[in-house]
Amino acid sequence: MSILFPSSSAVFISTTNPRVSLLPTSTSSSLRGRFPSRRFPHLAFSRAANAAAETFEDKKWSSSSTSRPVSGSEFVYSRTFIDALSEQDLLSGIQREVEAGTLPIHVANSMEELYHNYKNAVFQSGNPHAEDIVLSNMRVAFDRMFLAVKEPFEFSPYHEAIKQPFNYYMFGQSYIHPLINFRESYVGNISLFSEMEAQLKQGENVILISNHQSEADPAVIALLLEKTNPHISENIIYVAGDRVITDPLCKPFSMGRNLLCVYSKKHMNDVPELADMKRRANTRSLKEMALLLRNGSKIIWIAPSGGRDRPDPITNQWFPAPFDATSLDNMRRLVDHAGVVGHIYPLAILCHDIMPPPAQVEKEIGEKRLISFHGTGISVAPEISFQKATASCGSPEEAKAAYSQALYDSVCEQYNVLQSAINGAKGLEASTSSVSLSQPLQSFE
């Protein structure tokens, strides 16, 4: 297997011996044909040792990326997990770190549970290289999780994706990629994403008002758009709750995304004595957001529901959680007062089967991660004008509620189409006059 850099050398990594050596490009090129898989072109193998994405086919780094991988000597990693050659090595490594007092038992138990759930999900795909995929991705994941415990990373109110010396963005992409059934995944109204890119290039802002289904949402969005709209994939700023920046199993994935970090209303009073601190932190994040919008050319994703969708406890059916009209109105006001043209689009996402949240909202950090191999989908509808949506409203409060409802209704309409295509097995035939489905990644599989 080879990783080609835009230079005269390539990194070669053996599946039987993870030691790294530099080979001339011509040598590595001769190895390309040995691994015919095209199903998972972002398989990560020893990325913590190389900060690079290994592929079964030649992976080219996007020209829009702000960094490229560098050698492992320039960042910290643990030999406990990076040197693992087997499942037994990984799991026994967890136990050794617990016995050494360097890994809390509750984190260790979550890591082991995650390993088995991830393994089962990847094996569901039927990919002949599933064993290698699991080992390579999980040893890098464990390495980054272990580092998050030993040297906790502190997120600033506005966090920019870390791509060097370790590329956390590509790490997250590679980890989630094997969980997506791209043959049963769809994008609705893909031309609108190109419209957004044109607006961003003109210095305008784009806001995506979306439902929220899983911790994998950012990776799903980025993966479904990475070939057609790479600028959006890499540059979306996600408004993220505090749980994804405090849980050691989640932090490494969050480090690879552009984030505006806030405390969710759902968890504002979990610890009453911390409520004032959380409110002050949210105020700082809002100021950061206002500054970003004033600079223009920003695309921001926000879920006005304040958390993830959850199934109906009686029917077990999934549906977008209701939007909080006040949160949405605050976002709209920030856009309007930025002094830069802004566009607000309703976005629907369906990916709950990949990594569903707990059935109930939990106060404690460290939720159980259930994982599956499944189809996913995203869809965007034309931007909704506040003036048009609220023309008949008689008061500001009525207008606020009407605008929130208009965006929510659009998200639900799109979600129903994705639901019909993926879980209803209608595929492209689920398209409607307002939601045109496509499979942009099919041609790259």
Side-chain angles (χ1 to χ4, degrees):
M1 301 183 185
S2 66
I3 311 170
L4 292 187
F5 295 173
S7 66
S8 60
S9 298
V11 174
F12 173 79
I13 307 169
S14 166
T15 56
T16 57
N17 186 341
R19 298 296 186 265
V20 179
S21 63
L22 285 177
L23 296 179
T25 302
S26 58
T27 303
S28 62
S29 298
S30 66
L31 301 173
R32 295 177 199 163
R34 298 185 186 179
F35 300 92
S37 173
R38 291 294 183 270
R39 187 105 177 252
F40 297 110
H42 300 292
L43 173 62
F45 203 90
S46 286
R47 180 116 32 99
N50 303 284
E54 177 189 9
T55 60
F56 282 122
E57 58 183 321
D58 219 7
K59 171 64 183 178
K60 301 297 184 182
W61 287 78
S62 167
S63 60
S64 62
S65 177
T66 58
S67 62
R68 68 184 182 94
V70 296
S71 70
S73 63
E74 295 182 40
F75 61 90
V76 178
Y77 64 95
S78 66
R79 305 218 71 91
T80 298
F81 300 112
I82 286 304
D83 284 354
L85 297 177
S86 66
E87 174 181 301
Q88 182 57 38
D89 287 348
L90 276 178
L91 299 182
S92 62
I94 294 175
Q95 184 59 38
R96 287 199 307 274
E97 296 299 346
V98 170
E99 293 171 354
T102 53
L103 189 62
I105 186 65
H106 71 280
V107 177
N109 290 339
S110 295
M111 288 171 66
E112 184 168 349
E113 179 181 68
L114 177 66
Y115 175 85
H116 291 296
N117 288 342
Y118 187 77
K119 174 184 176 181
N120 290 339
V122 175
F123 271 74
Q124 288 172 18
S125 70
N127 187 278
H129 303 286
E131 187 173 353
D132 282 341
I133 292 170
V134 173
L135 177 60
S136 60
N137 280 351
M138 287 308 303
R139 69 187 191 182
V140 179
F142 279 2
D143 173 74
R144 297 294 97 183
M145 293 170 189
F146 184 46
L147 181 63
V149 172
K150 291 177 62 180
E151 302 177 16
F153 179 82
E154 296 295 330
F155 288 81
S156 57
Y158 171 51
H159 168 79
E160 293 187 79
I162 298 174
K163 297 181 181 179
Q164 60 179 348
F166 179 87
N167 196 323
Y168 282 93
Y169 172 79
M170 287 304 300
F171 157 65
Q173 297 298 91
S174 298
Y175 185 88
I176 298 298
H177 191 282
L179 303 179
I180 298 179
N181 181 350
F182 287 98
R183 299 184 187 281
E184 297 180 7
S185 294
Y186 303 88
V187 176
N189 300 330
I190 195 165
S191 63
L192 289 178
F193 289 105
S194 297
E195 176 180 292
M196 292 177 200
E197 287 196 335
Q199 291 164 346
L200 292 169
K201 289 178 181 177
Q202 292 169 9
E204 300 169 0
N205 294 316
V206 171
I207 308 299
L208 301 174
I209 301 297
S210 175
N211 66 312
H212 178 24
Q213 295 225 305
S214 78
E215 292 176 340
D217 285 6
V220 170
I221 294 170
L223 285 166
L224 291 180
L225 296 177
E226 70 171 351
K227 296 298 183 183
T228 56
N229 304 96
H231 180 80
I232 290 178
S233 289
E234 292 198 39
N235 290 284
I236 292 182
I237 301 169
Y238 297 89
V239 178
D242 62 298
R243 300 174 78 80
V244 300
I245 62 173
T246 53
D247 189 326
L249 269 63
C250 195
K251 286 178 73 171
F253 301 96
S254 299
M255 291 165 69
R257 304 293 163 182
N258 303 308
L259 303 178
L260 278 161
C261 305
V262 300
Y263 288 92
S264 169
K265 286 185 177 181
K266 292 182 179 180
H267 298 286
M268 186 63 67
N269 296 304
D270 285 355
V271 182
E273 56 268 30
L274 297 179
D276 285 342
M277 178 278 292
K278 292 180 179 180
R279 292 188 185 94
R280 290 194 299 272
N282 281 358
T283 299
R284 290 195 298 271
S285 295
L286 284 174
K287 290 180 179 178
E288 288 284 352
M289 185 185 297
L291 180 61
L292 289 168
L293 291 171
R294 283 201 297 270
N295 290 333
S297 296
K298 299 298 185 296
I299 177 166
I300 298 177
W301 176 97
I302 182 171
S305 62
R308 289 168 288 182
D309 304 335
R310 283 177 166 80
D312 184 282
I314 298 176
T315 66
N316 204 37
Q317 294 297 308
W318 290 78
F319 211 64
F323 289 171
D324 180 88
T326 299
S327 297
L328 200 156
D329 193 60
N330 288 339
M331 185 76 240
R332 179 189 65 81
R333 289 174 179 274
L334 282 171
V335 173
D336 285 349
H337 290 89
V340 174
V341 175
H343 308 271
I344 298 179
Y345 293 85
L347 178 83
I349 181 168
L350 192 158
C351 65
H352 57 77
D353 283 297
I354 284 182
M355 207 175 289
Q360 306 294 329
V361 177
E362 298 181 349
K363 289 186 177 181
E364 299 299 321
I365 299 294
E367 66 186 53
K368 182 176 182 179
R369 265 84 180 181
L370 300 175
I371 307 174
S372 296
F373 173 75
H374 206 274
T376 63
I378 61 173
S379 177
V380 68
E383 58 182 301
I384 294 179
S385 164
F386 177 77
Q387 286 71 25
K388 291 181 179 179
T390 62
S392 62
C393 294
S395 69
E397 285 301 310
E398 186 181 350
K400 182 167 66 175
Y403 188 57
S404 177
Q405 191 64 45
L407 284 158
Y408 178 72
D409 288 346
S410 176
V411 169
C412 290
E413 178 186 6
Q414 296 176 80
Y415 186 86
N416 286 337
V417 174
L418 294 174
Q419 174 82 356
S420 178
I422 299 168
N423 296 323
K426 291 187 177 180
L428 296 175
E429 293 181 0
S431 296
T432 65
S433 58
S434 57
V435 181
S436 177
L437 298 177
S438 61
Q439 292 183 293
L441 283 187
Q442 278 294 80
S443 59
F444 297 99
E445 284 300 294

